[in-house]
Amino acid sequence: MNDVLFRNARADEAAAILEFWGRAGENAARPSDDPGAVLRLVERDPEALIVAELGGRLVGTVIAGWDGWRANLYRLAVDPEVRGRGLGKQLLARAEERLRALGAERFCAMVLDENELGRAFWAARGYAPQDEWRRWVKAASW
């Protein structure tokens, strides 16, 4: 896929990114997304959301989040029409490169237990579940 353009997401793409995640991503067990959340991410860390474009169309995303201590990977998604061509690997390589340059010593990927395709992808890239930890969550709303 030599004709794929990799770049950072733009603030004006929030709605398109949400539409893409709705059809290409695993969205179970996740709070509802809204354009404001994407906009805040892009404004706070303009290089965190990496997108892939093919023929002017969004075909992949990954969020490479860095808080100065931990490197987290979220929302790795590839358009179902172009899966199996190495696009996910290319997105992940760019995300890892970014995080490594920022000082990351370990990468953490968020993968839903029921996401068989995602689990197989991450395992093939050398990632494994960490059994000693369990993610605890709480809604931030009052």
Side-chain angles (χ1 to χ4, degrees):
M1 297 199 71
N2 296 335
D3 46 352
V4 175
L5 170 68
F6 295 93
R7 60 175 175 76
N8 299 117
R10 299 183 313 261
D12 65 347
E13 295 179 294
I17 289 168
L18 292 179
E19 185 278 326
F20 173 74
W21 285 340
R23 69 182 163 79
E26 175 60 58
N27 294 303
R30 181 185 321 262
S32 296
D33 290 316
D34 66 85
V38 176
L39 181 61
R40 285 188 300 277
L41 171 64
V42 171
E43 287 176 345
R44 191 183 76 61
D45 187 352
E47 296 179 357
L49 179 48
I50 302 166
V51 300
E53 222 179 68
L54 179 62
R57 185 172 67 105
L58 183 64
V59 293
T61 64
V62 65
I63 297 174
W66 174 251
D67 64 8
W69 182 20
R70 293 201 172 106
N72 292 295
L73 298 157
Y74 309 88
R75 293 301 180 102
L76 177 62
V78 174
D79 189 309
E81 294 179 19
V82 296
R83 286 182 184 157
R85 301 181 196 176
L87 188 54
K89 290 182 213 174
Q90 292 178 59
L91 281 162
L92 180 57
R94 282 166 173 73
E96 288 178 343
E97 181 180 310
R98 172 188 193 257
L99 296 168
R100 200 175 283 111
L102 290 169
E105 296 180 11
R106 179 177 69 169
F107 307 122
C108 299
M110 303 301 290
V111 185
L112 291 169
D113 289 340
E114 300 81 31
N115 184 347
E116 294 294 329
L117 183 62
R119 288 174 41 190
F121 173 86
W122 290 102
R125 312 276 100 45
Y127 287 74
Q130 187 174 12
D131 295 330
E132 302 86 5
W133 293 83
R134 184 86 180 145
R135 186 172 174 196
W136 292 35
V137 298
K138 175 185 173 183
S141 60
W142 299 95

